[in-house]
Amino acid sequence: MAHSPFEPLKKNDRESLKSDIRDHILYSLSKEFESASERDLGRALSLALRDRLVERMLETRDRYRNAKAKRMYYFSIEYLLGRCLGNNLCNMELLPMCEDMFRELGFDLDEVRDSERDPALGNGGLGRLAACFLDSLATLDMPGCGYGIHYEFGLFRQDIRNGYQYELPDYWMAEGMPLQIARPDQAVMIPIYGRVEADYDAEGNYLPMWLDWQDLLGVPYDIPIVGYKGRTVNYLRLFSAQASRNFDMEIFNQGDYVKAVQQKIESEMVSKVLYPTESVAFGKELRLVQEYFLVACSLRDITRRYSGLNGSFEEFPDYVSIQLNDTHPALTVVELMRFLVDEKRMEWEKAWEITRATCSYTNHTLLPEALEVWSVDLLGKVLPRHLQIILEINSRFLSDVGHRWPGDPGRMRRMSLIEESGGKKVRMANLAVVGSHSVNGVSELHSDLVQRRLFPDFAEMDPDKFNNKTNGVTPRRWVLKANPDLAELLTETVGKGWITDFEQARGIEEHCDDPVFRERFMAVKRANKEYLAGYIKNSLDIDVSPDSMFDVHAKRIHEYKRQLLNILHIIRLYLNIADHGNLPLAPRVFIFSGKAAPGYWEAKQIIKLIHSVAEVVNKDPLTKDLLRVVFLRDYRVSLAERIIPACDLSEQISTAGTEASGTGNMKFAMNGSLTIGTLDGANVEMLEQIGAENFYIFGMRVEEVEGYLVRRNYYPKEIYNSCDEVREVLDALGSGRFSPDKPERFRWIVNKLLSDNEQYMHLADFRSYIDTQARAGADFNDTGVWARKAILNTARMGRFSTDRTMREYAGDIWNIRSVPEK
């Protein structure tokens, strides 16, 4: 039966919007308009937009229902949305009108937007990719929404004190989020802990009884996700953990008030912080509970919605697709099996068929330490019934493996869901592979390595399951919103079509040799650099010249991302100036930004090294107007939107074979930055699209890195002894030149770089890196050559829009289609 379509009532014209803003200041904020602050205006505008988004969200819901559309649900432990107000204004095409309206009211809309906090719901590329996907799904009118956790504090807010990272609570909800919609009426109850007793039904079938479990309440909050032009509004549903009200009252009435409060605190801890530390047992348990909470709440919500609209669960995969964003939601496979077998009394074989047809898994990492495992004992404590199901899945799966490859115990050990050595552990990546009908990597190189290096036995057993879906980024957020001057130039040159089809940006390629267009393109870059230079001055009190090359390394701090290689090059440039009187080919401002995981000592020491080198370099009068080093603290989406449009040279220099894809590389190139990078992740495909002459590739290929690892013949001391530049840099670092207060502070870095076991092989790529950097410096001095390369980078990035990525997922994996407004 078709639903009557919801008819939106709110208008987007100037007077209607202004009237609603005044109403919200009075009725929602309880203030008079004349006394409203800048922040009040921002909240009122957000609420006025929310009114319109809610209407469109209800219309979108009815549109999907009437079309009986299959829906995709994206399960992700994190979402890095960025500020929502400006993004919504851009996608609803209301930004120019609102800027003018706010000027008329005596306010600067840019300052109003700057008062908004970044939602602290994610950490890095994983969460930002998820946010880009949601934007593209809505823009493409595709029935897809996200599920996640409503973290109260997020990861952490980064502060820098004496060059060291300090982690501060990021209470992003302190002032509320006007856009979100609380849904307490749709809260779900999920069981956790307890024990399982064996029982049997009247026919003698095994009927496990999960007993003595505790209740955990998941309260959903919806954040509307509006597509470009505002036609389709999907949503991101985030669950906040609360104690069961009945359970709390029972304890309270017994007179144990302290225990009642304690139970409430422990329950609500589940959604307090993103990625609690696993260095203590409680943190590990909390992390596992978080992952189960995400999965169980989301599936309970999906199955409830499905039951209200459909009949038999045998048709579940015809209407529901669930994408697992890395291994964090891998328990989806087990929870869906538990639901079908225990609650719906479905036969195991049929339930397994439905589960595998519903679930698909994206792998995001090749690093062994990032592939999650959970101890069998911990799983048995937290989720006793789920452990039983995992063991049954494993038994049946290994039986299939044994039939396929009899007498091969090594293969059985590798493919088992249970790691037997060093205490039994459940391999969540293996569980996700076995329980999904599709397994994809996120770049062509990464997908090849997933099959060859990570899951070779699984790929041999079921090769059709494995595929590639190269990542992308949304041009709405990263060009239209983040770089409005470039957006205006693109629109003037090729029309507005690029906003939803970035391939159309290729139209500027025919202007790359036009001196007038080059000048205008570089004028946009110059304005963005001046804007960032002002921010650096205000934040750090460091003067940087927009005439310099802005060389940017902005991403999570990790040894494989090789911020350390960048620092070694900076030291080399400094020594050339200070000790040898050799001036660099181009003046440089090196800009770093990124967070280190709280427990990652080496990464935090690299942050300290960046600041120590900066202190020496920036204070030396010999480097004036030649070399500056800055670190911008607390990297987040809103800061990235300042940095990326101003970048000249983007550092994408991970060791070949370690970066799954990267998306920062794409954002920088879309905005006219040139890339210096290795043949790693999506750099390989970007190189193919942009052209080698417009890309600074250096270093080893994956095959060379693998050769070193297989033969164990990487000998960095030989490089040190044979290369004057390497020796001079490491000697300066080890002697305390950049840490005179404590000369031995960075000797551990030197010792590690010279170790035969240094897995990221910094010194192997050093010579190639500094030579390629010199070539980039020479090109930067030729403004015509550099402008041409920058234009072609923007022009040839069409493939790397998430609109393309979503179409591929939708057609190849999810089997969903667009349901546009008629």
Side-chain angles (χ1 to χ4, degrees), residues 72-77 79 147-148 288-303 316 320-341 348 351-352 354-362 372 374 379 383 386 389-390 393 426-437:
M72 188 283 300
Y73 301 99
Y74 199 77
F75 285 16
S76 181
I77 200 73
Y79 292 88
Y147 276 98
L288 175 60
V289 172
Q290 276 189 341
E291 294 184 1
Y292 168 66
F293 178 74
L294 162 64
V295 162
C297 289
S298 304
L299 275 173
R300 185 71 67 184
D301 194 54
I302 292 167
T303 52
F316 193 65
V320 173
S321 179
I322 297 174
Q323 186 69 40
L324 311 180
N325 192 28
D326 220 354
T327 55
H328 311 109
L331 283 169
T332 302
V333 173
V334 192
E335 173 65 8
L336 184 52
M337 283 295 292
R338 188 201 64 78
F339 172 79
L340 295 173
V341 172
W348 180 279
W352 185 240
I354 289 170
T355 296
R356 291 183 75 245
T358 301
C359 296
S360 47
Y361 161 54
T362 299
E372 285 193 312
W374 293 110
L379 261 168
L383 301 169
H386 293 71
I389 293 171
I390 289 170
I393 292 171
V426 178
R427 297 162 166 160
M428 303 308 285
N430 286 17
L431 173 63
V433 171
V434 171
S436 299
H437 71 275

Side-chain angles (χ1 to χ4, degrees), residues 445-514:
L445 174 61
H446 171 243
S447 296
D448 175 64
L449 293 174
V450 163
Q451 295 182 63
R452 288 198 298 108
R453 185 191 296 177
L454 206 57
F455 303 122
D457 297 307
F458 295 92
E460 186 178 356
M461 186 174 188
D462 192 357
D464 293 339
K465 175 184 287 192
F466 291 82
N467 61 93
N468 174 60
K469 297 291 175 282
T470 298
N471 283 342
V473 300
T474 168
R476 268 82 58 188
R477 165 74 70 168
W478 294 108
V479 180
L480 182 65
K481 177 181 183 291
N483 200 343
D485 290 344
L486 178 59
E488 183 179 347
L489 180 59
L490 288 173
T491 298
E492 182 182 326
T493 309
V494 302
K496 295 182 70 171
W498 67 269
I499 299 173
T500 53
D501 177 13
F502 205 69
E503 286 286 0
Q504 293 188 32
R506 190 173 286 267
I508 68 171
E509 184 170 338
E510 64 185 70
H511 302 280
C512 69
D513 292 316
D514 178 357

